[in-house]
Amino acid sequence: MALYGGARDMSMFRKVNRELMGNIISQEVIYYKYNVTTTKTNMYGESVEGRNFADPVMLFALIELGSPESPTSDLGVDFTWPITFRFLKDDLLSPTLDYNASMSFGSNLNPLPGTYGANIQPAVGDVIQYQNGYWEVDNTYDTQYFTGKNPEFPYTDADGNNPLNPGLDQFGYSVEVRCDCHYVPSDRLNIIKSRM
């Protein structure tokens, strides 16, 4: 049986991470979830009147800015600026989970009194606003695990038992979701900042 990475260890690790992200690092971004169902498309799958997004959610993130570049081509000068956003996975999960229900989370954009968790699953096409710029999500990853163990894969036999480590599904958890993004000019998006 595993010695570290159980429920008590995860609880302490969650509290430390939330304290670090919210009170020490405090880098806030606004997350716009792409709404496929309300976006009208033509027969080629292109959006007709621009893309539609769900209500924005303010989240804490670790941000790693790449170097902006201005490559030239036959069409002229372009602008690229890669960026990586890292979110605590617990911040993105449902607020009804036991360990999120006792925490407080929210902002003036999306107040959720008495709960924690934005109920968002990052996907390609979502948009993240950081300062005055917008970045579109290219790829998402959730490959960082506490104690290196993903509890979704306990490696059990046909009877549901792990002969080497019984109860291994109770250890470890997925810590973060990473979003690799590229810069998008604001005129290409159907996002209008009305107030903040």
Side-chain angles (χ1 to χ4, degrees):
M1 178 175 268
L3 295 176
Y4 301 103
R8 289 182 60 173
D9 297 332
M10 287 186 285
S11 176
M12 190 267 308
F13 199 67
R14 280 187 178 105
K15 279 188 146 181
V16 169
N17 278 338
R18 284 179 169 158
E19 181 78 20
L20 183 68
M21 292 290 285
N23 296 336
I24 297 172
I25 297 172
S26 297
Q27 290 182 318
E28 295 177 329
V29 299
I30 300 173
Y31 198 97
Y32 293 90
K33 182 73 181 156
Y34 176 48
N35 195 337
V36 180
T37 57
T38 60
T39 301
K40 296 178 183 176
T41 58
N42 60 18
M43 63 187 221
Y44 301 109
E46 301 164 338
S47 61
V48 178
E49 299 169 357
R51 294 187 291 175
N52 291 331
F53 297 92
D55 291 336
V57 177
M58 189 175 286
L59 297 167
F60 293 113
L62 288 177
I63 301 166
E64 183 181 333
L65 282 167
S67 299
E69 297 178 0
S70 300
T72 58
S73 67
D74 295 340
L75 300 174
V77 179
D78 199 6
F79 180 73
T80 62
W81 193 358
I83 190 169
T84 300
F85 297 98
R86 297 174 188 267
F87 302 101
L88 289 176
K89 191 165 188 179
D90 294 334
D91 290 359
L92 304 174
L93 295 175
S94 171
T96 60
L97 296 172
D98 290 341
Y99 52 82
N100 279 341
S102 62
M103 303 296 287
S104 61
F105 172 76
S107 68
N108 55 355
L109 290 176
N110 189 12
L112 299 170
T115 60
Y116 204 96
N119 204 20
I120 293 175
Q121 182 173 354
V124 174
D126 294 347
V127 172
I128 301 171
Q129 179 185 351
Y130 172 60
Q131 295 178 353
N132 288 329
Y134 295 93
W135 281 265
E136 185 175 347
V137 177
D138 293 325
N139 291 308
T140 62
Y141 310 93
D142 60 345
T143 55
Q144 185 181 25
Y145 304 107
F146 180 56
T147 66
K149 168 75 181 74
N150 184 355
E152 295 178 15
F153 297 97
Y155 299 106
T156 56
D157 59 14
D159 298 328
N161 299 320
N162 185 322
L164 299 176
N165 279 320
L168 194 60
D169 58 333
Q170 302 299 316
F171 290 85
Y173 83 103
S174 181
V175 178
E176 73 166 12
V177 174
R178 185 178 98 191
C179 298
D180 291 338
C181 307
H182 70 276
Y183 178 79
V184 179
S186 60
D187 61 346
R188 291 190 196 168
L189 301 171
N190 193 22
I191 297 174
I192 300 170
K193 190 193 309 185
S194 59
R195 61 183 166 151
M196 225 183 215

